[in-house]
Amino acid sequence: MTKFEARQDSITTVDRADGRKVFVKSYGCQMNVYDAQRMTDQLGDGGYAETARVEDADLVVLNTCHIRERATEKIFSELGKLRLLKAERAAGGRDTKIVVAGCVAQAEGAEILRRERAVDVVVGPQSYHRLPDMLARAGQGERVVDTEFELEDKFSRLPKPRATGPAAFLTIQEGCDKFCTFCVVPYTRGPELSRPVAAIVAEARALAEAGVREITLLGQNVNGYHGEDEQGRTAGLAALCRRLAVIPGLDRLRYTTSHPNDLDDDLVAAHRDLPALMPFLHLPVQSGSDRILKAMNRRHTAARYLELVARLRAARPDLALSSDFIVGFPGETDADFEATLDLIRRVGFASTFSFKYSPRPGTPGAEMDDQVPDAVMRERLARLQALVEEQRQAFNAATVGRTLDVLLERPGRHPGQLTGKTPYLQQVQVEGPPDLVGTIVPVTIDATAPNSLFGSLAHRDWARQPARSVA
């Protein structure tokens, strides 16, 4: 799994107008969150107002993720509830359209229509720019499936993105050609495609002009980015970051998710040279055993990963690392698992994402012999998670007493409290006036909690100071 596939279900929470209303629920990765927002923008241009209440929605969109076990069953369970809601609204004379989008839609398109009659539209992640046309066809009684992989630039057919806060996602690359044996992404997202440099720069500039201070560049294999620049040349991720780093008002850049094999010398140098490129890198390794890495088709070794970490830290000594680990891949022995624990101890991670191996239908891993018993996977996962949690808490504790630049993103849970992120992606709670939201301020870290830090503004009169860059 990748951080990019970390579970973070999200629901649209704004209700702006009377008339037709849309409820969008997004499952899974950050790219799905981005796609859900783009669909919401597109539907907003078509006259739909967002609503946080599914009961009020004339259109319900489930933007699905297929990366985890039982993802399909979870969606069908949700659709069963929506079928009842659709019938209830119909009894009151209100029509409801249901759309299933995303990776489950891509993988299970025809089956979704067969099993659930309440669904009107099934649309894959490469086709949602055609959603208004699909809805028009559904309005005429047609049940629509569109899961084609096309080479057209869907992004050029979407409306201008809307900023919803000081931090935003921006998709620069989609698909993957790596074919790791545990992963469904090449089958649900298709081959690697990179957006043109000019289109990305234009979108980033528009977001910055709307008040966005931090952009996270997204891609299934983001550091494999190879977009065309204005001179017709191929630009890598490092070159793109250099273009984005000079956009006025855009102070922070991040990217996810990476593959070790595509982190080249130019990108290592960018971490050294670009203050806007935050000192936090998610670099999935999956296992510390060369035998398991080969079975996973990762095409790198544990030694290669450690060498890359050393080069990155030499270039950016304050760099913090995050990673992904799969426990219990078919054939994993006690020795293989101990090799993974050894790698974790040698690297030291600020955060990680770890999961039991989950066979995904259609992937080579699902057909492999020597599947690891669930009880063994659970025991190994508990040991691994205890180790990485110890490292995470140690990293957080080391920030106490330091003053870090924090991007304040929104009000906190309590009156007078603000919530923001450090350069290392740690959540910070701080007392301060609401007009500081959207600014980057120095915060002295006072204490840690299990899932966040607590700090205080380094200057009492900071509200009267201009926002500054972390550079």
Side-chain angles (χ1 to χ4, degrees):
M1 310 298 163
T2 63
K3 178 183 181 183
F4 191 67
E5 282 102 26
R7 312 297 70 104
Q8 56 173 46
D9 297 357
S10 63
I11 300 174
T12 295
T13 58
V14 181
D15 190 351
R16 293 190 305 240
D18 296 327
R20 294 183 301 172
K21 295 181 180 180
V22 58
F23 174 92
V24 180
K25 184 172 182 178
S26 187
Y27 302 81
C29 69
Q30 293 165 322
M31 183 170 282
N32 264 18
V33 175
Y34 175 87
D35 286 347
Q37 185 58 55
R38 299 313 308 274
M39 281 188 275
T40 303
D41 294 344
Q42 185 182 35
L43 293 166
D45 284 356
Y48 284 93
E50 306 163 63
T51 180
R53 283 175 45 86
V54 67
E55 297 84 358
D56 296 335
D58 305 288
L59 173 62
V60 178
V61 180
L62 301 183
N63 192 35
T64 62
C65 176
H66 202 263
I67 206 72
R68 289 304 304 266
E69 188 177 12
R70 295 186 295 276
T72 302
E73 289 83 353
K74 183 176 182 179
I75 296 305
F76 278 111
S77 174
E78 190 82 8
L79 289 174
K81 299 172 187 176
L82 290 176
R83 181 196 334 118
L84 299 177
L85 175 63
K86 184 172 184 174
E88 181 181 331
R89 283 174 53 87
R94 295 178 296 174
D95 183 48
T96 309
K97 291 289 185 286
I98 298 175
V99 174
V100 180
C103 291
V104 172
Q106 184 69 42
E108 308 282 349
E111 181 68 4
I112 291 170
L113 288 191
R114 187 189 70 79
R115 285 181 56 180
E116 187 49 76
R117 297 294 303 174
V119 173
D120 301 282
V121 174
V122 176
V123 55
Q126 305 302 333
S127 306
Y128 68 76
H129 58 290
R130 292 192 290 271
L131 186 54
D133 176 65
M134 297 178 218
L135 289 172
R137 291 161 59 190
Q140 299 299 315
E142 183 180 352
R143 302 180 76 213
V144 184
V145 178
D146 190 337
T147 55
E148 295 297 319
F149 289 126
E150 296 190 7
L151 296 179
E152 66 176 311
D153 179 12
K154 72 180 180 186
F155 298 96
S156 66
R157 299 183 57 183
L158 293 169
K160 181 180 178 181
R162 297 181 177 93
T164 58
F169 297 131
L170 198 170
T171 293
I172 66 168
Q173 178 269 344
E174 289 192 298
C176 185
D177 297 336
K178 292 292 188 287
F179 288 93
C180 297
T181 55
F182 56 81
C183 187
V184 298
V185 166
Y187 311 102
T188 59
R189 287 278 184 170
E192 290 183 11
L193 292 173
S194 297
R195 298 177 64 187
V197 170
I200 296 168
V201 170
E203 185 169 332
R205 192 178 300 278
L207 289 170
E209 289 171 353
V212 169
R213 307 294 299 277
E214 173 182 295
I215 286 178
T216 300
L217 306 176
L218 301 180
Q220 268 85 27
N221 185 32
V222 70
N223 59 337
Y225 174 81
H226 51 277
E228 185 176 282
D229 68 13
E230 293 86 344
Q231 286 73 45
R233 300 170 301 195
T234 298
L237 180 58
L240 177 64
C241 286
R242 291 188 178 95
R243 290 285 301 275
L244 298 176
V246 299
I247 293 176
L250 184 56
D251 296 303
R252 290 180 164 189
L253 291 173
R254 305 182 189 275
Y255 61 87
T256 195
T257 279
S258 311
H259 194 290
N261 292 355
D262 289 324
L263 211 156
D264 58 18
D265 291 342
D266 201 21
L267 193 51
V268 172
H271 279 279
R272 179 195 65 208
D273 299 336
L274 298 179
L277 195 54
M278 290 294 92
F280 181 88
L281 174 61
H282 187 68
L283 189 62
V285 62
Q286 308 299 356
S287 174
S289 163
D290 288 348
R291 193 177 70 84
I292 295 300
L293 289 169
K294 183 177 181 180
M296 289 177 167
N297 196 36
R298 291 291 290 174
R299 304 179 191 176
H300 64 79
T301 64
R304 161 66 178 158
Y305 185 87
L306 291 169
E307 184 268 336
L308 185 55
V309 168
R311 288 172 51 216
L312 284 162
R313 284 178 166 162
R316 186 77 185 258
D318 63 337
L319 185 75
L321 289 166
S322 175
S323 195
D324 299 332
F325 294 94
I326 294 175
V327 170
F329 189 78
E332 183 187 69
T333 65
D334 288 343
D336 294 322
F337 177 66
E338 290 297 333
T340 298
L341 296 183
D342 180 64
L343 182 143
I344 292 171
R345 295 186 186 102
R346 294 177 67 179
V347 173
F349 292 99
S351 65
T352 57
F353 295 86
S354 54
F355 307 95
K356 295 185 301 180
Y357 171 67
S358 172
R360 306 312 300 135
T363 62
E367 305 301 321
M368 289 181 178
D369 296 329
D370 204 10
Q371 299 284 329
V372 178
D374 187 70
V376 174
M377 288 197 288
R378 287 200 306 270
E379 187 273 335
R380 289 176 182 171
L381 183 63
R383 290 176 59 195
L384 185 148
Q385 290 183 337
L387 175 59
V388 295
E389 178 63 11
E390 179 183 333
Q391 292 186 344
R392 185 178 76 88
Q393 294 298 346
F395 180 81
N396 288 345
T399 65
V400 174
R402 294 181 60 191
T403 297
L404 302 174
D405 283 337
V406 172
L407 172 59
L408 297 173
E409 296 181 342
R410 62 185 184 277
R413 293 183 178 180
H414 307 295
Q417 188 181 69
L418 304 176
T419 296
K421 292 290 196 311
T422 73
Y424 303 107
L425 213 57
Q426 300 151 298
Q427 182 169 281
V428 181
Q429 312 294 337
V430 62
E431 300 293 323
D435 58 355
L436 286 183
V437 170
T439 66
I440 297 171
V441 299
V443 172
T444 300
I445 306 303
D446 301 319
T448 68
N451 295 306
S452 65
L453 308 177
F454 290 87
S456 53
L457 296 177
H459 304 302
R460 293 180 181 274
D461 61 346
W462 191 256
R464 294 190 294 274
Q465 300 294 324
R468 70 171 186 172
S469 166
V470 295

